């Protein structure tokens, strides 16, 4: 998934996008990962927080707002978070996606 993210980022860079938009990856103190990814080149509807998992060991939460994907997850689910982002970008639809299949 890291290779997919690298290629996706490269495809967004057009001499303009990378000056105003981008990807931020940080760690959380509970512990976990937090990402913010601009997806303004896509027509994707806003999604309020969707949270999956048991919160004791494996969990993921994300929302799409103002053309930005914001996601958080436990320390071992970063790859799954990126898979969800990929599915959202590739489908670009308002049809529901079954995110629970990742658990």
């Amino acid at each position: 998934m890291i290779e997919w993210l690298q290629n996706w980022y490269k495809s967004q860079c057009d001499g303009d996008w990378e000056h105003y938009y981008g990807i931020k990856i940080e760690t959380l103190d509970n512990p976990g990962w937090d990402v913010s990814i601009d997806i303004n080149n896509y027509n994707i509807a806003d999604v309020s927080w969707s949270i999956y998992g048991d919160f004791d060991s494996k969990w993921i939460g994300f929302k799409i707002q103002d053309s930005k994907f914001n996601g958080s997850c436990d320390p071992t689910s970063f790859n799954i978070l990126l898979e969800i982002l990929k599915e959202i970008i590739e489908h670009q639809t308002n049809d529901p996606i079954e995110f629970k299949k990742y658990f």
Side-chain angles (χ1 to χ4, degrees):
M1 287 310 305
I2 295 295
E3 185 174 345
W4 174 84
L5 184 62
Q6 290 174 153
N7 291 333
W8 179 84
Y9 171 74
K10 183 179 177 184
S11 74
Q12 301 307 296
C13 295
D14 60 4
D16 197 32
W17 183 90
E18 63 273 19
H19 293 283
Y20 302 101
Y21 307 104
I23 298 170
K24 292 182 183 176
I25 301 172
E26 300 178 315
T27 56
L28 298 172
D29 62 0
N30 60 331
W33 296 99
D34 188 54
V35 299
S36 177
I37 301 174
D38 290 298
I39 54 174
N40 60 302
N41 287 340
Y42 299 89
N43 186 20
I44 300 172
D46 285 358
V47 175
S48 59
W49 273 107
S50 297
I51 301 174
Y52 303 102
D54 63 18
F55 297 99
D56 289 326
S57 60
K58 193 166 191 148
W59 58 271
I60 288 180
F62 70 92
K63 71 177 177 178
I64 298 171
Q65 185 175 13
D66 299 327
S67 299
K68 189 172 285 207
F69 175 89
N70 294 295
S72 301
C73 64
D74 68 85
T76 63
S77 295
F78 187 65
N79 196 57
I80 296 172
L81 189 62
L82 294 181
E83 287 178 23
I84 290 171
L85 171 66
K86 180 182 179 198
E87 187 166 347
I88 289 170
I89 287 173
E90 288 179 350
H91 283 88
Q92 292 188 60
T93 179
N94 290 332
D95 294 337
I97 298 171
E98 182 55 51
F99 298 111
K100 290 181 182 180
K101 71 182 178 186
Y102 294 106
F103 289 93

